[in-house]
Amino acid sequence: GESVGLHLPTLSVQEGDNSIINCAYSNSASDYFIWYKQESGKGPQFIIDIRSNMDKRQGQRVTVLLNKTVKHLSLQIAATQPGDSAVYFCAEKRYSGAGSYQLTFGKGTKLSVIP
Amino acid sequence: GAVVSQHPSWVICKSGTSVKIECRSLDFQATTMFWYRQFPKQSLMLMATSNEGSKATYEQGVEKDKFLINHASLTLSTLTVTSAHPEDSSFYICSAFSFLAGGEQFFGPGTRLTVL
């Protein structure tokens, strides 16, 4: 079946360096992709999303890149801070018939920031 | 704005008992609420989707008689795990959606269920 997955399960980064978290997807019909941050024992927190007709979108310290040719999504975090330590999930957003949408989550990458 | 709460944040129960988890949208009315389950070091898996006043739609493989969902109002949905067993131990997370709240799913903090 179609799914959203990640290349790397863990990533350790020195504080101040940039982090890159990758995600591969297989459903080319997705409308949006979303990155979430989940800290231990908490629910997911929205970081940034990108529409399927875009290649790049920037937020505060974060950039999401979408390569539709190879069905690859990445999240770049600039100047990584200890507070960025968490598990990051990419999710596929698919509109449902009820006016809402469903999310399909990838496996997650644990980011550890070394002080 | 767009705050979603869950209660309780954690619960421990004996095998065979039932547990109810509440999900509330505190500052907006949610037309749709979602329930997810997350096992340790794994991703979130959608269990069911519920719209206010109607029956929940369950994902394939999720037993609707075991995981009872009630969405009686636009600000409250409940998930009842009936006759819980140790394999039901998990992190249960709800999310709430409304176009008027920005058209995104807002997630609750989760409920950790441990069945002994």
Side-chain angles (χ1 to χ4, degrees), chain A:
Chain A
E2 300 189 341
S3 64
V4 181
L6 295 177
H7 292 305
L8 297 173
T10 60
L11 177 65
S12 294
V13 176
Q14 201 74 32
E15 180 179 359
D17 288 350
N18 296 334
S19 303
I20 299 177
I21 302 171
N22 298 302
C23 176
Y25 67 93
S26 56
N27 187 351
S28 58
S30 303
D31 293 309
Y32 278 89
F33 297 92
I34 305 175
W35 280 102
Y36 287 93
K37 172 186 180 182
Q38 186 181 29
E39 297 176 66
S40 181
K42 297 183 179 179
Q45 176 186 357
F46 176 94
I47 301 173
I48 190 169
D49 65 357
I50 186 167
R51 192 170 183 137
S52 60
N53 62 356
M54 299 173 64
D55 298 320
K56 179 179 180 179
R57 190 174 185 205
Q58 287 185 295
Q60 187 177 12
R61 281 203 306 121
V62 295
T63 301
V64 56
L65 299 178
L66 177 61
N67 186 330
K68 294 180 287 294
T69 302
V70 295
K71 297 181 180 177
H72 183 267
L73 186 71
S74 70
L75 175 70
Q76 300 179 3
I77 304 174
T80 312
Q81 302 169 0
D84 295 327
S85 294
V87 177
Y88 290 81
F89 294 95
C90 64
E92 167 199 1
K93 183 176 179 178
R94 184 177 73 250
Y95 285 97
S96 63
S100 180
Y101 64 86
Q102 287 192 341
L103 294 173
T104 301
F105 283 83
K107 294 182 180 179
T109 293
K110 182 177 180 180
L111 175 65
S112 296
V113 181
I114 305 167

Side-chain angles (χ1 to χ4, degrees), chain A residues 38 43-44 99-102 105-106, chain B residues 34 38 43 59 99 103-105 108:
Chain A
Q38 186 181 29
S100 180
Y101 64 86
Q102 287 192 341
F105 283 83
Chain B
F34 303 84
Q38 185 179 31
S43 187
E59 294 299 301
F99 276 115
E104 295 295 339
Q105 286 188 33

